[in-house]
Each structure stands twice: as structure tokens, then as C-alpha cells.
């Protein structure tokens, strides 16, 4: 599969039925396009099975509720739709994108309670999110944008509007030759990358930011479980920028990123060490088991 994302062969599930990829369109006055009334999930299928599939579907439903709409499909119906998409596209290893949004209707202002909620699921083949970074470690910029306070936005929803500053941060990072950017939170603590959670290693112990104003990723939770199974102590806490100088290793976690080593953040350097490799390899085995 190649080409732009609107011009490909295959099927997309949309509002309860499979349709041709090129026909999966929405009207220009769709509410979500103007006011970001949209939530989504990024998932990966390995050997025909979506890792943590049901947890993703449940989170999609919760995210919608957090931004004040109800997805008109049950978790079981969403699960069946994802399976149908993979089968229709003949894929066993693929990225799966589920998205739900307020569509076009009687409302075209900020309020949109009368507009129908729509949903779609697509799948495509997608390799390593950070290219060859799994071997040598990704290079990260430090973003000027901060993750907002939970008092200003539902920060635990996987909502489209929350990613605007992520896009801006990643574009700025790529312009500097970096793969991504690390973001602080509104208080100045280390938060996450633009689409992945972050972990650090010091003296055989792991430190990771407390997800109190950003998404507690499913991959993050999985990796913390793996570390604890290996009797590695995990500190979930607030981390200041100057602490990076004392950390030896660093990695990112996310559905797209999987477990990706980090070699540099700004002026701070890290080794792609043994624990990083062990967790990356262990995660690869887990998702394919």
C-alpha cells in the first residue's frame, strides 16, 4: 500500500458498514473539522491479533464521554468492526485507527448536541514509527509547548484537539533534524513526547513521569508491568529537566512507537543500554505471543 492516505485500495469500516477506501469521506461542515470534537485510538495488530484491543475500544468510549458525546456502538460491536477491517484488507500485521466524531447536522456553532456521532475504522501497514531509532536511539528536541492543566482540558481523553501542540512540536523538532520532541507539563515537569510516554534509567532503577495531566498509555502500563515482573524498581514521580543529566538510559513507549530507545534529548545524551534492549525485545515477544 502506497500513496496519499485518501487514494489507496482497501476497505474502511464507516458507520456500521465496510466501504471502499476512496469513498470514506465527510462533508466540509463536519463539526469535528471546525471544533475538534473527535476522539481516536491507534492500535497495532500482530499476527492477526490487535494487542490490548478491548482496552483500546473501552478507552475510545471513555474518551468520547469525556468530551461530551456517546459513541453509538458497544465495545463488542467495535471489536467486531476492527476484526472485519483487518480481514477485508487481508492484513495480519497492521496499524489500526479507530476514530469517532461529531458529524454534520443541524448545529454549526460551538454547540453540537443535535449532530449525529459518526465512527470509522481503517487499517494499514506501518513500520517502525521512528525509523532506525530502535538501533541507535531517537534524537529528541525539547518543545516550547507544554501539556495543559487538567483544569483547562480533559487531558486523559485521547482527543484530537489535544494533539495540536504535538503536531507543532514535532514539526519544529523535525526541522532541527530530530525525530520527536519532549514536552513539559504546565508546571515545568517532564511530561512525555508528542505521541509517546517516556522512561529513564538510573542505577538499575526506572523513573517515569506521573501521568496526572497526560495520557497514561496502554503501552506505558504494559511496560511498567514488565519491569515489575523483572523485579526492577519503578519510580512514578515528577521529574525536572536538570535530572536528565544523571540518567543513563531513556526510552519511549506507545502503540506506534512500541519501545523505542532515545539517544539524545536536547543537550542530554543516553546510551542504548541493556535494560532498554531487554524491555524492547521483551515487548516485541509479548505482543506476538
Amino acid at each position: 500500500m502506497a500513496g496519499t492516505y485518501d487514494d489507496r485500495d482497501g476497505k474502511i469500516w464507516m458507520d456500521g458498514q465496510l466501504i471502499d477506501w476512496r469513498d470514506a469521506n465527510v462533508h466540509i461542515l463536519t463539526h469535528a473539522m471546525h471544533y475538534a470534537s473527535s476522539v481516536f485510538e491507534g492500535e497495532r495488530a500482530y499476527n492477526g491479533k490487535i494487542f490490548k484491543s478491548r482496552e483500546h475500544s473501552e478507552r475510545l468510549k471513555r474518551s468520547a464521554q469525556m468530551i461530551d458525546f456517546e459513541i453509538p456502538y458497544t465495545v463488542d460491536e467495535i471489536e467486531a468492526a476492527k476484526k472485519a477491517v483487518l480481514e477485508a484488507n487481508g492484513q495480519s500485521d497492521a496499524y489500526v485507527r479507530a476514530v469517532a466524531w461529531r458529524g454534520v447536522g443541524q448545529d454549526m456553532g460551538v454547540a453540537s448536541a443535535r449532530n449525529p456521532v459518526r465512527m470509522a475504522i481503517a487499517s494499514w501497514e506501518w513500520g517502525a514509527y521512528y525509523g532506525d531509532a530502535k538501533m541507535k536511539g531517537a534524537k529528541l528536541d525539547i518543545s516550547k509547548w507544554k501539556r495543559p492543566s487538567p483544569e483547562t482540558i480533559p487531558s486523559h481523553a485521547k482527543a484530537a484537539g489535544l494533539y495540536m501542540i504535538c503536531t507543532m512540536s514535532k514539526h519544529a523538532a523535525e526541522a532541527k533534524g530530530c525525530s520527536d520532541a519532549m514536552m513539559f507539563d504546565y508546571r515545568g515537569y517532564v511530561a512525555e513526547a508528542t505521541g509517546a510516554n517516556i522512561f529513564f534509567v538510573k542505577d538499575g532503577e526506572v523513573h517515569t513521569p506521573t501521568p496526572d495531566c497526560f495520557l497514561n498509555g496502554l503501552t506505558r502500563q504494559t511496560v511498567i508491568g514488565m519491569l515489575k515482573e523483572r523485579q526492577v524498581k519503578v519510580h512514578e514521580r515528577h521529574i525536572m529537566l536538570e535530572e536528565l543529566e544523571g540518567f543513563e538510559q531513556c526510552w519511549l513507549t506507545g502503540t506506534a512507537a512500541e519501545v523505542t530507545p532515545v539517544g539524545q534529548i536536547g543537550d542530554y545524551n543516553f546510551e542504548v543500554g541493556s535494560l532498554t534492549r531487554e524491555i524492547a525485545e521483551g515487548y516485541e515477544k509479548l505482543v506476538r505471543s
Side-chain angles (χ1 to χ4, degrees):
M1 187 181 287
T4 61
Y5 278 89
D6 63 342
D7 186 20
R8 298 187 175 194
D9 296 327
K11 297 289 186 179
I12 290 176
W13 182 95
M14 197 167 185
D15 299 325
Q17 60 183 332
L18 289 167
I19 62 175
D20 288 339
W21 188 290
R22 294 175 181 85
D23 293 335
N25 301 311
V26 296
H27 194 274
I28 195 66
L29 294 182
T30 293
H31 190 271
M33 188 178 296
H34 297 257
Y35 297 103
S37 51
S38 171
V39 295
F40 70 96
E41 284 292 318
E43 313 174 33
R44 275 193 189 267
Y46 302 89
N47 299 327
K49 182 180 178 182
I50 299 173
F51 185 64
K52 300 283 186 182
S53 182
R54 194 170 189 87
E55 289 93 327
H56 279 290
S57 296
E58 291 169 345
R59 188 171 67 182
L60 183 72
K61 295 272 288 183
R62 289 197 304 273
S63 292
Q65 290 164 356
M66 287 182 207
I67 68 167
D68 200 32
F69 70 81
E70 191 71 39
I71 294 174
Y73 300 97
T74 66
V75 169
D76 286 340
E77 288 171 331
I78 296 170
E79 288 295 291
K82 289 190 286 188
K83 182 178 179 182
V85 168
L86 288 172
E87 290 177 352
N89 290 329
Q91 296 163 334
S92 59
D93 282 40
Y95 182 84
V96 179
R97 171 59 57 88
V99 58
W101 67 97
R102 288 191 183 274
V104 68
Q106 297 181 62
D107 295 325
M108 197 50 222
V110 173
S112 60
R114 294 180 296 175
N115 290 14
V117 173
R118 303 189 61 187
M119 183 174 168
I121 301 169
S123 66
W124 61 89
E125 294 178 1
W126 203 9
Y129 187 65
Y130 291 110
D132 62 358
K134 285 193 174 183
M135 300 299 295
K136 63 182 183 180
K139 181 181 178 183
L140 271 59
D141 186 26
I142 297 177
S143 176
K144 69 177 184 179
W145 299 103
K146 295 181 178 181
R147 303 308 300 161
S149 164
E151 295 178 332
T152 65
I153 199 163
S155 54
H156 292 100
K158 196 168 178 67
L162 284 160
Y163 284 80
M164 180 183 70
I165 57 174
C166 297
T167 298
M168 296 162 68
S169 298
K170 194 170 174 72
H171 285 174
E174 290 177 340
K176 297 178 183 178
C178 298
S179 301
D180 204 348
M182 184 187 77
M183 306 180 77
F184 298 114
D185 70 15
Y186 64 102
R187 298 159 295 193
Y189 297 127
V190 172
E192 59 177 348
T194 62
N197 294 123
I198 194 164
F199 289 77
F200 302 97
V201 180
K202 182 178 181 180
D203 299 329
E205 298 182 353
V206 172
H207 303 255
T208 187
T210 302
D212 55 4
C213 65
F214 55 88
L215 205 66
N216 181 12
L218 293 175
T219 309
R220 177 186 185 275
Q221 296 173 47
T222 299
V223 165
I224 288 175
M226 292 171 58
L227 290 163
K228 290 181 176 178
E229 287 175 2
R230 289 165 170 76
Q231 306 300 312
V232 176
K233 191 166 186 178
V234 179
H235 303 272
E236 295 185 71
R237 63 180 182 83
H238 294 142
I239 298 172
M240 297 299 294
L241 176 63
E242 55 266 25
E243 294 185 65
L244 271 60
E245 188 173 1
F247 292 135
E248 301 143 7
Q249 302 175 49
C250 177
W251 69 73
L252 302 175
T253 64
T255 295
E258 300 172 299
V259 177
T260 298
V262 174
Q264 184 178 351
I265 302 175
D267 295 328
Y268 302 97
N269 295 294
F270 309 93
E271 63 172 337
V272 182
S274 58
L275 182 57
T276 302
R277 293 190 184 280
E278 180 183 344
I279 294 301
E281 291 168 5
Y283 182 79
E284 180 70 16
K285 291 178 182 177
L286 177 64
V287 297
R288 295 187 177 279
S289 62

